[in-house]
Amino acid sequence: MNDRPIVLAAGGTGGHLFPAEALAHALSARGVAIELVTDARALRYGGAFPARAMHTISAATPRGGSALARLTAIAKLGWGTLEAMRHLLKMRPRAVIGFGGYPSVPPLMAAALLRIPTVLHEANAVMGRANRFLARRVDKIAAGFPLLDVDAGLKEKVVVTGNPVRPGVLAAADEAYSDLADGRLRLLVTGGSQGARVMADIVPAAIEALPREIRARIDLVQQTRAEDAARVATIYARAAVAAEIAPFFADLPQRMARAHLVIARSGASTVAELAVIGRPSILVPLPHALDQDQAANAAELAKSGSAEIIAQEDFTPQALSRRIEQLVASPSQLIARARAAKRVGIADASERLADLVLSVAAKTEGAVARQRRVA
């Protein structure tokens, strides 16, 4: 193993960490040492990340709030860049790979200043604010989807690799879609790694409104925020629905594979996992996102015919209940949508991204070697 690592930099939420984790597995399998730079939020995911070391640095989001709050955030990012430079000078990495979120800004800025090879991964169909700030400073941009808003001057940097998915997702993708022959209807409800209140507000009421004979057939798994769990459980108990409720499921890919229908937000990781595993979905994009990235992600998956989009303003218990009842009455439609999802999944995105990362690192290493020979 080359002792010089490749450094992955990611914000501390699942949407940023999960694709970074997937790349870490792919690179580790090729004998590459991995180190992670992130923020303290990543600690909630435990020690499963396949890195020989994890470093937390100062970072903040310089938007919203007062002018003083924005200046403080910018100062934290500046200090974080100095911290990152100190770490990188010690590590001497072959390359630094960013996965979005403002905690990735200091390591990528430090790498650019130190002339270390850089790759930026953009998971969404539109580029996020932090990645947009970094885009002109990196060597290559790996895209989860064809980017809808990339500047003409950046197009030559962009390589569409797809969104890397974790080994657990690839394992879950081997599970065939189950028809409804046994009479059970397995539903998965998720609001992403941080939960979503709207799912707690709408889905239980929609399920309770279903006819009794359909409720009796449902096996439901719902990820919900801890503060919403009790009221969600109360509604399902009143409706006599078999439900498992938790703030976080470590085995979410396996639960997705067992589901007949997934009701979810449309973060990039969720959309990628739905496609790779091959499951039909009802997607409710986050409505207030500055860049409308979830709407763009959902639209990409909806093109395949596997997903339908319900705007949050139209996401009512009555509308959802009616749609579930229609789908239950047409199992063939669910099966067709599962096949459509599978057709657009990019299961080897981790390997594609690993190829790109190593090619960027190798070009710089080759140039340095040639300079040494000339000297």
Side-chain angles (χ1 to χ4, degrees):
M1 177 182 287
N2 187 329
D3 192 53
R4 292 178 60 205
I6 285 178
V7 172
L8 309 185
T13 64
H16 299 128
L17 282 172
F18 291 164
E21 179 187 342
L23 176 63
H25 281 290
L27 289 172
S28 295
R30 303 187 190 194
V32 178
I34 300 296
E35 300 203 16
L36 173 68
V37 178
T38 184
D39 61 42
R41 294 174 299 170
L43 299 176
R44 66 178 288 201
Y45 297 99
F49 198 98
R52 71 182 186 187
M54 183 169 76
H55 312 274
T56 57
I57 59 170
S58 300
T61 302
R63 56 178 170 79
S66 66
L68 178 60
R70 290 194 294 273
L71 286 172
T72 301
I74 291 170
K76 283 186 177 180
L77 288 171
W79 180 251
T81 300
L82 293 175
E83 290 179 309
M85 289 183 75
R86 178 171 56 84
H87 285 304
L88 296 180
L89 286 168
K90 287 182 179 179
M91 288 187 279
R92 297 177 56 249
R94 298 166 65 188
V96 178
I97 318 304
F99 285 88
Y102 279 97
S104 71
V105 170
L108 269 294
M109 286 295 295
L113 291 169
L114 295 171
R115 300 187 181 278
I116 298 168
T118 49
V119 176
L120 193 63
H121 181 267
E122 175 52 65
N124 295 294
V126 294
M127 194 171 286
R129 298 295 176 93
N131 278 358
R132 201 176 303 158
F133 171 75
L134 291 166
R136 295 190 181 280
R137 297 168 171 83
V138 300
D139 296 305
K140 287 289 182 181
I141 300 168
F145 303 97
L147 291 172
L148 302 177
D149 63 340
V150 67
D151 295 340
L154 296 176
K155 285 185 178 178
E156 64 181 21
K157 289 186 178 184
V158 177
V159 179
V160 179
T161 59
N163 281 319
V165 296
R166 295 164 292 160
V169 176
L170 296 176
D174 291 335
E175 186 168 334
Y177 186 75
S178 172
D179 59 27
L180 281 71
D182 64 358
R184 304 305 296 171
L185 174 65
R186 289 181 284 280
L187 300 179
L188 172 64
V189 183
T190 175
S193 65
Q194 300 180 86
R197 180 177 291 277
V198 69
M199 297 297 176
D201 292 341
I202 301 301
V203 179
I207 298 298
E208 189 176 30
L210 288 167
R212 181 181 301 175
E213 59 271 21
I214 294 179
R215 295 201 311 267
R217 296 172 53 193
I218 291 175
D219 293 318
L220 185 142
V221 173
Q222 181 160 349
Q223 179 209 5
T224 191
R225 300 188 303 181
E227 57 265 37
D228 297 322
R231 66 184 177 95
V232 168
T234 297
I235 296 172
Y236 288 135
R238 188 171 64 221
V241 170
E244 186 176 355
I245 300 156
F248 182 76
F249 292 101
D251 61 344
L252 193 67
Q254 288 70 36
R255 293 173 183 272
M256 184 179 287
R258 292 193 290 268
H260 292 112
L261 177 66
V262 179
I263 303 168
R265 287 294 198 199
S266 50
S269 289
T270 298
V271 168
E273 290 169 6
L274 284 166
V276 170
I277 295 172
R279 293 299 176 263
S281 57
I282 294 174
L283 301 177
V284 186
L286 182 68
H288 307 302
L290 287 173
D291 304 304
Q292 290 299 300
D293 53 337
Q294 290 204 7
N297 299 341
E300 288 293 319
L301 190 58
K303 289 177 186 176
S304 71
S306 68
E308 58 185 275
I309 303 169
I310 302 180
Q312 185 161 310
E313 62 187 20
D314 300 321
F315 189 57
T316 64
Q318 297 77 19
L320 180 60
S321 184
R322 184 167 56 250
R323 193 67 192 105
I324 291 172
E325 192 170 354
Q326 291 168 347
L327 289 169
V328 170
S330 180
S332 61
Q333 188 177 158
L334 288 170
I335 293 168
R337 289 185 174 198
R339 290 172 179 162
K342 194 82 167 178
R343 282 195 294 269
V344 297
I346 304 177
D348 65 343
S350 299
E351 299 301 328
R352 296 185 189 191
L353 181 55
D355 288 343
L356 177 63
V357 166
L358 292 176
S359 72
V360 169
K363 284 179 182 177
T364 302
E365 290 166 348
V368 170
R370 286 191 295 272
Q371 288 173 358
R372 286 174 178 167
R373 285 197 298 270
V374 170

